[in-house]
């Protein structure tokens, strides 16, 4: 494997379910080179190394000591994010972590401070708002297409993990739940569109205390639910916009949208924020119906792994761009604000929770990919 001096070396830590979407997704960026991987499971690391042609290391420290990695990417489970990210930061490398930043706001804040003290960049998923849907919606808001944004809604509803996952226990314990699992995509999308929040009011409860697992290849018969699985929240944005959020594992069927913004001139419908490139539609007052908006950037982030998972990588490329002085849109500071909101939604608030963090809206990313151009775009 050859690596030219302009390339940024990436080490993968955690070779589980999502890792293929990174191994395959990062291949698309000319500016990035995966230089190694590691996992607590030597077998998983070896399998990933063979499958993707990447060197395998037996520990984070060995991966860092090799010297080829500039950025270490944390793809471990949410409850491990805190300890693994701390270990990665201790190597002096730049760090990008999967979402959520950690399993709680309280554990994440010190890591953001530590990265700052060490002078390394620390970034976090979700990065899907960098895709053409997030950027097209952002341009529509910034251009005033729907006028003043008065309200927003987001519906984080996915249930039924116990119908297909052999052991979804982790989703119903600390670090899981609808807000922390899928909520990051929705709240990051809203903060990208509307800016930071001032306060949150949320109510949360456990739906069913015991969930039977019915998938034929189940490893457990039932799950004792120990965290809230149904939450409803009011989001007060600093801009004055008021958001309504439902985050639930107890909604079995619905006809709800993903995200909508309600403006003085019309409504903007934002597609599934777990994807990068679906269509954004608008219905302005006086127009006959909904119409799609032309994407403001190309859909080069398209691509799926095993016909299911969207390929990942724009956030790592964003961090690599920031090493060259470009805007850092997926910074941990942004993710920390998102996590403080998610924490409040996940657990409910005792009265109004005034946020202790804030953030800048990430810069629009029309030029994100000039430093780490997607290969298919470059080759088109
Ligand atoms: N699976 C998905 O569809 C998906 C999608 C988007 C984001 N994510 C996020 O990606 C992250 C990983 O999810 P996953 O589904 O791949 O989990 P997973 O359990 O399949 O894989 C995690 C891997 O991390 C390894 N690991 C744990 N601790 C480690 C350590 N200290 N050092 C090295 N390796 C360690 C485990 O051995 C395991 O192989 C989570 O934060 C999740 O929220 C997952």
């Amino acid at each position: 494997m050859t690596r030219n001096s302009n390339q940024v070396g990436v080490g993968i830590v955690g070779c589980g379910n999502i890792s293929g979407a990174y191994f395959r997704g990062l291949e698309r960026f000319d500016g990035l080179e995966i230089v190694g991987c590691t996992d607590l499971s030597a077998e998983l690391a070896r399998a990933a190394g063979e499958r993707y042609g990447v060197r395998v290391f037996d520990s984070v420290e060995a991966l860092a000591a090799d010297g080829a990695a500039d950025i270490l990417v944390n793809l471990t489970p949410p409850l491990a994010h805190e300890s693994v990210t701390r270990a990665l930061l201790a190597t002096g490398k730049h760090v990008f972590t999967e979402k959520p930043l950690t399993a709680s706001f309280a554990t994440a804040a010190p890591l953001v401070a530590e990265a700052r003290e060490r002078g390394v960049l620390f970034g976090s998923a979700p990065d899907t708002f960098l895709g053409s849907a997030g950027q097209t919606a952002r341009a529509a808001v910034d251009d005033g297409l729907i006028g003043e944004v008065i309200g927003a809604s987001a519906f984080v509803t996915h249930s039924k993990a116990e119908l297909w996952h052999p052991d979804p226990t982790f989703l119903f314990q600390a670090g899981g739940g609808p807000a922390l699992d899928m909520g990051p995509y929705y709240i990051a999308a809203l903060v990208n569109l509307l800016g930071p929040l001032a306060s949150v009011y949320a109510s949360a409860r456990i739906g069913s205390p015991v969930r039977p697992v019915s998938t034929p290849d189940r490893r457990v018969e039932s799950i004792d639910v120990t965290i809230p699985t149904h939450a409803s929240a009011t989001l007060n944005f600093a801009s004055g916009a008021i958001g309504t959020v439902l985050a639930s594992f107890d909604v079995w069927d619905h006809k709800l949208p993903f995200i909508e913004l309600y403006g003085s001139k019309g409504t903007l419908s934002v597609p599934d924020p777990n994807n990068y490139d679906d269509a954004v539609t608008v219905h302005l007052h006086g127009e006959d119906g909904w119409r799609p908006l032309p994407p403001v950037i190309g859909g080069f982030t398209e691509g799926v792994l095993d016909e299911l998972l969207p390929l990942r990588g724009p956030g790592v490329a964003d961090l690599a761009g920031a090493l060259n002085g470009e805007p850092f849109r997926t910074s941990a500071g942004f993710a920390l604000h998102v996590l403080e909101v998610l924490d409040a939604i996940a657990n409910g608030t005792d009265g109004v929770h005034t946020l202790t963090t804030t953030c800048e809206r990430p810069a629009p990313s029309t030029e994100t990919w000039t430093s780490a151009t997607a290969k298919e775009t470059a080759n088109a």
Side-chain angles (χ1 to χ4, degrees):
M1 179 188 312
T2 55
R3 178 179 162 213
N4 77 47
S5 57
N6 295 325
Q7 283 179 317
V8 173
V10 178
I12 300 288
V13 179
C15 301
N17 192 47
I18 190 69
S19 66
Y22 275 84
F23 281 111
R24 294 283 313 287
L26 290 171
E27 280 173 3
R28 301 174 298 171
F29 297 92
D30 274 340
L32 302 177
E33 185 72 52
I34 301 180
V35 296
C37 66
T38 187
D39 195 295
L40 278 185
S41 158
E43 197 184 323
L44 277 179
R46 196 167 48 247
E50 276 170 20
R51 184 165 182 192
Y52 301 107
V54 168
R55 287 179 68 195
V56 177
F57 294 84
D58 60 12
S59 68
V60 162
E61 290 70 25
L63 173 59
D66 173 69
D70 303 293
I71 303 171
L72 297 177
V73 177
N74 181 356
L75 304 182
T76 64
L79 273 180
H81 284 186
E82 180 195 2
S83 61
V84 172
T85 290
R86 183 172 296 109
L88 301 190
L89 289 172
T91 68
K93 303 288 183 181
H94 307 289
V95 176
F96 185 87
T97 182
E98 248 303 333
K99 56 79 190 166
L101 193 54
T102 66
S104 69
F105 174 68
T107 56
L111 294 178
V112 176
E114 184 176 338
R116 201 175 298 124
E117 280 160 24
R118 289 182 181 276
V120 298
L121 293 187
F122 179 21
S124 175
D127 58 8
T128 42
F129 68 88
L130 296 175
S132 64
Q135 295 305 312
T136 300
R138 170 68 182 270
V141 170
D142 288 1
D143 293 347
L145 182 68
I146 60 168
E148 181 192 354
V149 180
I150 295 156
S153 61
F155 297 98
V156 190
T157 54
H158 74 125
S159 305
K160 310 181 185 177
E162 55 269 51
L163 301 187
W164 59 268
H165 198 299
D167 183 4
T169 308
F170 67 99
L171 284 174
F172 299 93
Q173 294 176 337
L180 284 185
D181 182 44
M182 293 300 281
Y185 297 105
Y186 293 74
I187 302 302
L190 285 174
V191 176
N192 174 51
L193 295 172
L194 301 177
L197 281 77
S199 65
V200 179
Y201 178 88
S203 301
R205 59 163 285 182
I206 289 176
S208 305
V210 179
R211 317 261 299 207
V213 178
S214 58
T215 182
D217 60 346
R218 62 186 171 276
R219 295 198 296 271
V220 292
E221 288 301 317
S222 67
I223 303 160
D224 291 327
V225 179
T226 56
I227 53 164
T229 51
H230 184 88
S232 180
T234 299
L235 311 183
N236 294 302
F237 288 86
S239 70
I242 299 172
T244 304
V245 173
L246 175 69
S248 182
F249 284 163
D250 294 289
V251 174
W252 288 79
D253 293 294
H254 64 81
K255 294 181 179 179
L256 298 164
F258 291 100
I259 295 175
E260 288 181 347
L261 303 188
Y262 310 110
S264 56
K265 295 182 182 172
T267 298
L268 194 71
S269 176
V270 182
D272 185 351
N274 189 23
N275 295 335
Y276 294 92
D277 296 322
D278 301 335
V280 178
T281 55
V282 68
H283 189 171
L284 296 181
H285 305 332
E287 290 188 349
D288 280 346
W290 294 92
R291 61 179 163 92
L293 295 179
V296 297
I297 59 172
F300 56 79
T301 50
E302 279 169 0
V304 290
L305 184 74
D306 300 334
E307 298 176 5
L308 190 65
L309 275 174
L311 294 182
R312 307 280 166 172
V316 180
D318 183 63
L319 193 156
L323 293 173
N324 293 328
E326 293 169 24
F328 192 13
R329 301 174 180 90
T330 55
S331 73
F334 172 76
L336 185 66
H337 182 65
V338 168
L339 182 58
E340 187 178 12
V341 174
L342 292 168
D343 227 19
I345 297 171
N347 299 310
T349 52
D350 184 14
V352 173
H353 173 78
T354 301
L355 291 160
T356 61
T357 59
T358 188
C359 66
E360 301 274 327
R361 283 197 313 164
S365 77
T366 47
E367 293 181 88
T368 297
W369 315 108
T370 53
S371 65
T373 312
K375 282 179 183 162
E376 56 259 47
T377 302
N379 297 337

